[in-house]
Amino acid sequence: GLITLDEVDEMDQDNVPLALERASGQVEQMVLALSTPTIPHTGINKLYEDTTQEHFFFKCPSCSRLTELMFPQCLEITAESVTDPSIENSFIKCKECQAKLATETKWEWLKTGRYVPSYSQRSARGFNLNHMYSRAKAGNPATIAKSYLRSLRDPSEEQEFYNSKLGLPHIVEGASVTDAEMDKCIKSYRMG
């Protein structure tokens, strides 16, 4: 049977193992889990860590090497402020040869692509894509550049940039409680 878990990171995490267990009673099992990752080792990222961890590689139209779109290596940001009109000149580039990759022909150079597993011996397949691959407005280099620049000064924008634009789990510095901080808070209380 097919079990679909949509927006895994929005689910009560205690229910995820139960949903996965439901598939174990089937002769043919298929679990499709989808989500924008939020924090490391939780939700979709926890499931992804045990998979093939496949990334989309394509042949660069300039140097013909197999490459993938990664941040920051593949985004040339042409302004220091979101209000600077030159931000619209930002572009995606090949991380191998640094050639500008035309967004107008993105569909042409991406059609040469394929998913490459990081761990080919694992049976569960997992995939990662970021917005640089999108042909929609979300994948526009200026849109990504603006999101990144906003992330430099606003923690909520930083979280959203890494999670939504890059498809990566992320914790903003200072947003989590450390074990040392927890230890400092533990005191002996007397009931009375």
Side-chain angles (χ1 to χ4, degrees):
L2 171 64
I3 302 228
T4 302
L5 304 176
D6 191 16
E7 292 300 339
V8 174
D9 282 37
E10 301 297 321
M11 296 175 72
D12 179 338
Q13 294 304 298
D14 291 338
N15 292 335
V16 174
L18 174 64
L20 298 174
E21 180 58 30
R22 296 273 163 91
S24 71
Q26 304 298 317
V27 175
E28 291 188 32
Q29 302 172 23
M30 183 172 185
V31 176
L32 178 61
L34 305 166
S35 195
T36 299
T38 51
I39 58 176
H41 317 299
T42 304
I44 197 75
N45 183 248
K46 183 177 180 179
L47 297 174
Y48 180 74
E49 288 173 335
D50 293 330
T51 70
T52 53
Q53 297 184 23
E54 299 181 39
H55 291 250
F56 194 81
F57 282 77
F58 62 95
K59 193 168 102 175
C60 171
S62 182
C63 70
S64 297
R65 287 185 269 186
L66 205 58
T67 189
E68 68 176 312
L69 295 179
M70 300 174 67
F71 179 84
Q73 301 93 323
C74 298
L75 182 64
E76 188 68 36
I77 301 174
T78 56
E80 293 181 14
S81 167
V82 295
T83 58
D84 184 339
S86 69
I87 192 100
E88 297 300 325
N89 299 327
S90 297
F91 60 91
I92 293 173
K93 62 184 179 180
C94 171
K95 70 180 179 65
E96 313 303 329
C97 69
Q98 304 300 302
K100 180 178 180 177
L101 301 174
T103 350
E104 305 78 42
T105 59
K106 189 184 283 189
W107 65 273
E108 284 182 25
W109 41 271
L110 287 181
K111 74 179 179 183
T112 68
R114 61 185 166 93
Y115 279 98
V116 177
S118 300
Y119 302 97
S120 57
Q121 73 282 8
R122 295 179 181 172
S123 59
R125 294 185 74 188
F127 304 91
N128 176 276
L129 272 179
N130 63 57
H131 274 192
M132 286 190 277
Y133 287 96
S134 175
R135 290 178 48 208
K137 184 177 180 181
N140 179 294
T143 302
I144 298 168
K146 288 173 187 175
S147 180
Y148 171 68
L149 292 175
R150 284 192 297 270
S151 81
L152 296 176
R153 58 178 205 275
D154 181 340
S156 60
E157 293 277 358
E158 177 184 338
Q159 188 74 41
E160 194 61 29
F161 174 73
Y162 280 90
N163 295 162
S164 296
K165 294 287 187 234
L166 301 184
L168 298 172
H170 181 73
I171 298 176
V172 174
E173 188 176 330
S176 64
V177 179
T178 66
D179 288 340
E181 290 168 328
M182 290 294 285
D183 289 342
K184 285 182 187 177
C185 293
I186 296 173
K187 295 181 181 176
S188 177
Y189 290 96
R190 200 171 51 152
M191 299 297 285

